[in-house]
Amino acid sequence: MSALPGTTGRRRIYLMRHGHVDYFGPEILAAGGDTKVVPLTPLGQEQAKAAGKALSHVTLDRAVCSGVPRTRQTAEWVLAAQEKKPPFLEEEPALVEIHGGSFGKITSRTELAAKMAFYFETAEEPGATMLEGGEVFGDALFRAVGAVKRLLAEPGWHTALIAAHEGINRLLLGWAATGCSLDRALSAVRAFEQDPACINVIDFDMVPATDGGIGTEIQRSIIKSVNVTPYNYVKHGMNMTSLEAIFSKDPR
C-alpha cells in the first residue's frame, strides 16, 4: 500500500531530531571539534528509547537517518521497539546537519548558544550562513528538501521515519509550513524549536498520477504535530531552548 489507510494519496513522515549529545565530549575533542563523530549520551539513549516506545505500534515502511552516529543510534533505538519487523535503516547524507563555520572567539557556553541562535534568526537574509564561513541556509534547505522529495517520489510505502538534526528539521518544517515553498521556507525557521529526540508528524498529499496511482508531485503538506517529546510531553521544566540547554554549563 502506498497511501495512508483511508486516503488516496497521502504519506506520512515521522521526522525526529536525534537524542541528547555532548558537543564538548571526549569524542569531539579527540576529533578536533568534528561534530559528525558525536554519539548519544546515556540521557540521549533514554530519550530515543522513549520515542521508540511512543512509536512502537506505528508500522514503519521506511526508515532513514543522516548517517552520523547520533542520528543512526536514535533511529536504531526507535526501530528496536517496533512491534512488527522494522524496515532496513537507510542513510541519506543530504540530511546531515547544516555545516557550521567558525564560532570566532567564544568565552562561555552561554555566549555560544546566543551566537548560534542569532544565526537562525537571520536565516532568511540573502546568502545567510550558519556561522561565519558556514553553509548557506538556502543551500542546506535545497539539499534537505531534495532528499524528502526523492523519498516521497519512491513507490511502495506510506509511513516513514526520518532521524535528522535540529537545523535540518527546522528547515523542513519551515518548508512544510509555507506550502512547500523554497522561497518562503527560511522566513519560518526561527519559530520552530526542536528538543532532543523530538517527533514531528508531517503528512504529504501527492498529486494523483495519470494511471490512478500516487504521483511524484506534492499537492500539499499537513503538519500534524511538532516537537513532541515522549519523555516529557508537557515540557515541564524544559524552560530553555534546545541550544540554551546544550550550552548551559560553562566549560571554563
Side-chain angles (χ1 to χ4, degrees), residues 51-69:
K53 183 177 180 180
L55 293 170
S56 61
H57 66 290
V58 177
T59 300
L60 299 170
D61 305 308
R62 300 285 294 272
V64 183
C65 70
S66 70
V68 298

Side-chain angles (χ1 to χ4, degrees), residues 72-96:
R72 170 165 283 279
Q73 291 168 6
T74 298
E76 287 173 343
W77 282 115
V78 171
L79 295 178
Q82 285 279 284
E83 294 177 357
K84 297 182 179 180
K85 183 179 179 180
F88 172 77
L89 180 57
E90 308 164 48
E91 292 187 1
E92 174 51 83
L95 293 171
V96 76

Side-chain angles (χ1 to χ4, degrees), residues 4-160:
L4 289 171
T7 75
T8 57
R10 183 168 298 164
R11 288 175 161 172
R12 173 166 294 175
I13 291 178
Y14 288 93
L15 176 65
M16 287 190 63
R17 184 193 177 192
H18 60 78
H20 179 268
V21 296
D22 182 4
Y23 290 106
F24 293 92
E27 297 87 356
I28 297 289
L29 297 177
D34 185 359
T35 60
K36 292 191 295 293
V37 304
V38 65
L40 296 182
T41 63
L43 173 59
Q45 294 177 31
E46 293 304 313
Q47 293 168 339
K49 289 179 185 179
K53 183 177 180 180
L55 293 170
S56 61
H57 66 290
V58 177
T59 300
L60 299 170
D61 305 308
R62 300 285 294 272
V64 183
C65 70
S66 70
V68 298
R70 58 192 186 275
T71 59
R72 170 165 283 279
Q73 291 168 6
T74 298
E76 287 173 343
W77 282 115
V78 171
L79 295 178
Q82 285 279 284
E83 294 177 357
K84 297 182 179 180
K85 183 179 179 180
F88 172 77
L89 180 57
E90 308 164 48
E91 292 187 1
E92 174 51 83
L95 293 171
V96 76
E97 184 60 298
I98 304 169
H99 308 308
S102 173
F103 288 111
K105 185 178 180 180
I106 298 294
T107 59
S108 70
R109 289 180 183 236
T110 301
E111 184 181 352
L112 181 56
K115 189 166 187 175
M116 291 187 69
F118 169 77
Y119 281 93
F120 279 111
E121 292 291 317
T122 64
E124 65 181 304
E125 296 181 4
T129 61
M130 186 60 197
L131 301 174
E132 296 297 331
E135 184 176 16
V136 174
F137 280 102
D139 293 344
L141 172 68
F142 185 80
R143 63 175 169 84
V145 167
V148 172
K149 283 186 172 181
R150 287 193 294 275
L151 177 62
L152 290 170
E154 294 177 5
W157 69 275
H158 62 66
T159 303

